[in-house]
Amino acid sequence: MTAFESAEVLAIRGGRPLRGRVEVKGAKNLVTKAMVAALLGETASVLRDVPAISDVQVVRSLLEAHGVRVWETEDEDEGTLHLDPSGTVAPPFAAIDAHAGVSRIPILFCGPLLHLLGQALIPNLGGCRIGERPINFHTDALRAFGAVVDESYQENGKGEGKGIRITAPNGLHGADIELPYPSVGATEQVLLTAVRAKGMTRLRGAAIDPEILDLIAVLRKMGAIISHEADHRVITIEGVDSLQGYDHQPIPDRNEVASWACAALATAGDIFVGGARPQDMLAFLDVYLQAGGSFDVCEDGIRFRRGGGDLRPVVVETDVHPGFMTDWQQPLVVALTQAHGTSTVHETVYGERLGFTRLLNRMGADIVVHAGRTDGPGQRVSRCSLEQAAVIKGPTALRGAEVEIEVEVPDLRGAYSYVIAALMAEGESVVRNIGVIRRGYERFLVKLDALGADFDVIS
């Protein structure tokens, strides 16, 4: 990574529309899980179109700590990873604990490691700070397979390395599992555990996101026997004795696609996103048109731009797929500050994902966040009382500001949204700790530069 790409502080001058072309690679939410799935194979796997993002590096580091060989070759396309799990071993807990608080992906190592080693040690989890994200769905599912979960594990009993220890003294068996909420992570946990458990597993209430279906495609390539009824959220897995490696091209990252689409809308720009495909994000495209955006679907991507006339207010409710993804609402909210009228965004998935609006208000936005819905019937999401509503009145002129991402923003998408807000604002903004954005956006500054953004890197 060059010094330019690894910058942590930007001085951004707003008012310039973003125009040009960017390319997206494989979906972060599939690539990282497919890397974990490679543990299940008796031969090496090949994963293509892997983005150079920090979440991928976290998973790679964890795999290598467990003895998995991960490498690239110069004669292949950029972003091609080879993963060979034949030397998998149980590492010292210190090597695992070094990743504590960095990502939530380690919890997905449980099933594969139980099959390989008979135990899994998981560090304290991290990830985006967007509200309650309990792991009980994961641990309950693992217990259903026959695992024993110690959630208060301490290395040598001294309390120095704290985490979760999972064992399977009698092996893992198929289970009948019903999730109380269609959690993506818990669905992945069940898939990665059930494919080599003895017997049949039936999962009801499953997530059916495109990344889940692509993970199923990966596991099928490895020899797994999986069927799904997407309309009923039911997945059936017949355990097998062994799996082989895979060679897979992942679906494109629809969250990055939506982010650049909102940047075009917010800055009155014109951005072609190479690799984008509409079938993964129909709910987003509907709202994009309603808000005054326009897009053209081409063979190699989608062109996004603001349509003729003013931006229009919309009412949006986040939901699990096939609804409007929670990851899409933050960059959209930034664009809606310029809509003529009052927009409402209901967040029903994560309890603190509207916290990023506080800084937008300091920049001149008029956004009020309500603790619950502002209209409509009671809560549709049964997990817990998460719903919030952001009411955005526009248009409002945004002003440059000092932005400390690590403190002000609760998560990756909010961090990206602050940069887009700065690109819209009058005057100069200084945005610090932009390394957060590299968790999910490859070559972010290179892409901004290619789109004509006016910024300087501050050393």
Side-chain angles (χ1 to χ4, degrees):
M1 184 184 298
T2 66
F4 177 75
E5 292 178 276
S6 62
E8 287 291 331
V9 184
L10 297 183
I12 300 174
R13 290 164 292 278
R16 182 183 294 181
L18 298 184
R19 295 192 175 97
R21 178 176 180 133
V22 295
E23 302 288 334
V24 295
K25 285 189 177 177
K28 174 177 83 76
N29 291 336
L30 178 278
V31 165
T32 49
K33 319 306 169 55
M35 292 173 69
V36 176
L39 280 166
L40 293 162
E42 294 186 352
T43 56
S45 294
V46 180
L47 186 58
R48 304 182 186 278
D49 220 16
V50 176
I53 55 177
S54 58
D55 270 16
V56 166
Q57 294 305 313
V58 169
V59 179
R60 177 173 183 164
S61 178
L62 274 166
L63 288 170
E64 290 175 335
H66 284 86
V68 178
R69 289 182 58 231
V70 184
W71 74 95
E72 301 113 317
T73 60
E74 293 183 359
D75 59 344
E76 292 180 302
D77 292 337
E78 182 184 17
T80 298
L81 285 185
H82 296 253
L83 306 102
D84 181 1
S86 59
T88 302
V89 296
F93 186 75
I96 300 172
D97 196 48
H99 299 86
V102 176
S103 171
R104 297 183 64 81
I105 296 170
I107 192 70
L108 295 178
F109 278 63
C110 294
L113 290 178
L114 287 173
H115 289 302
L116 282 168
L117 306 174
Q119 77 164 10
L121 297 177
I122 306 302
N124 288 327
L125 302 178
C128 294
R129 299 191 301 276
I130 50 181
E132 183 182 1
R133 304 172 79 186
I135 65 166
N136 60 293
F137 292 176
H138 294 261
T139 54
D140 289 349
L142 289 166
R143 290 186 177 103
F145 285 112
V148 176
V149 182
D150 177 4
E151 297 185 46
S152 58
Y153 174 79
Q154 298 180 6
E155 186 180 21
N156 299 322
K158 298 178 180 179
E160 295 175 354
K162 295 183 179 180
I164 304 171
R165 182 173 184 261
I166 304 101
T167 56
N170 299 311
L172 298 175
H173 54 74
D176 193 351
I177 299 171
E178 182 168 4
L179 296 177
Y181 179 86
S183 161
V184 170
T187 300
E188 293 163 341
Q189 184 74 259
V190 171
L191 285 168
L192 292 168
T193 304
V195 287
R196 285 198 56 198
K198 292 181 180 180
M200 194 77 69
T201 295
R202 184 175 175 86
L203 174 63
R204 295 188 297 272
I208 55 171
D209 297 57
E211 294 82 5
I212 291 289
L213 301 185
D214 208 26
L215 179 59
I216 290 174
V218 169
L219 294 169
R220 283 173 171 165
K221 287 181 178 181
M222 300 178 76
I225 303 172
I226 305 172
S227 62
H228 64 88
E229 305 168 48
D231 292 344
H232 300 288
R233 296 188 179 275
V234 176
I235 300 175
T236 303
I237 308 105
E238 182 180 345
V240 297
D241 292 333
S242 64
L243 296 169
Q244 303 303 310
Y246 62 78
D247 189 327
H248 190 69
Q249 174 85 26
I251 62 172
D253 195 314
R254 60 194 176 123
N255 290 333
E256 184 176 359
V257 174
S259 296
W260 292 117
C262 289
L265 194 66
T267 67
D270 189 333
I271 301 176
F272 187 93
V273 184
R277 60 183 203 178
Q279 61 265 39
D280 300 329
M281 48 193 312
L282 296 178
F284 174 83
L285 296 177
D286 286 345
V287 172
Y288 199 77
L289 290 176
Q290 293 170 22
S294 178
F295 63 87
D296 300 315
V297 177
C298 304
E299 185 175 339
D300 58 340
I302 304 177
R303 177 190 178 194
F304 295 97
R305 61 193 183 281
R306 188 182 291 191
D310 298 327
L311 293 186
R312 299 185 292 270
V314 295
V315 176
V316 178
E317 180 176 280
T318 65
D319 201 356
V320 296
H321 185 80
F324 191 93
M325 283 191 68
T326 179
D327 293 77
W328 298 337
Q329 60 92 347
Q330 289 143 304
L332 178 67
V333 164
V334 176
L336 291 177
T337 64
Q338 304 310 303
H340 286 246
T342 300
S343 298
T344 304
V345 175
H346 295 287
E347 173 56 57
T348 74
V349 179
Y350 292 123
E352 297 175 15
R353 205 154 204 181
L354 293 173
F356 81 106
T357 59
R358 289 188 289 269
L359 181 60
L360 295 182
N361 282 337
R362 281 169 42 194
M363 297 178 76
D366 185 352
I367 304 173
V368 176
V369 175
H370 298 268
R373 293 173 60 106
T374 57
D375 57 17
Q379 296 181 174
R380 198 170 71 188
V381 179
S382 59
R383 178 158 59 121
C384 48
S385 54
L386 293 177
E387 295 193 34
Q388 298 180 91
V391 178
I392 308 118
K393 295 181 180 179
T396 55
L398 301 186
R399 303 178 299 274
E402 293 272 340
V403 180
E404 188 87 18
I405 285 178
E406 185 179 56
V407 175
E408 300 282 2
V409 72
D411 73 313
L412 167 64
R413 308 302 169 188
Y416 175 95
S417 300
Y418 284 150
V419 171
I420 300 308
L423 290 166
M424 295 166 53
E426 299 174 2
E428 183 173 274
S429 298
V430 176
V431 184
R432 304 180 188 279
N433 298 328
I434 63 166
V436 171
I437 298 173
R438 287 193 288 273
R439 280 194 52 221
Y441 296 88
E442 180 187 52
R443 304 178 70 213
F444 178 64
L445 297 187
V446 173
K447 291 177 181 179
L448 278 185
D449 190 49
L451 294 173
D454 186 6
F455 68 92
D456 292 319
V457 169
I458 300 177
S459 59

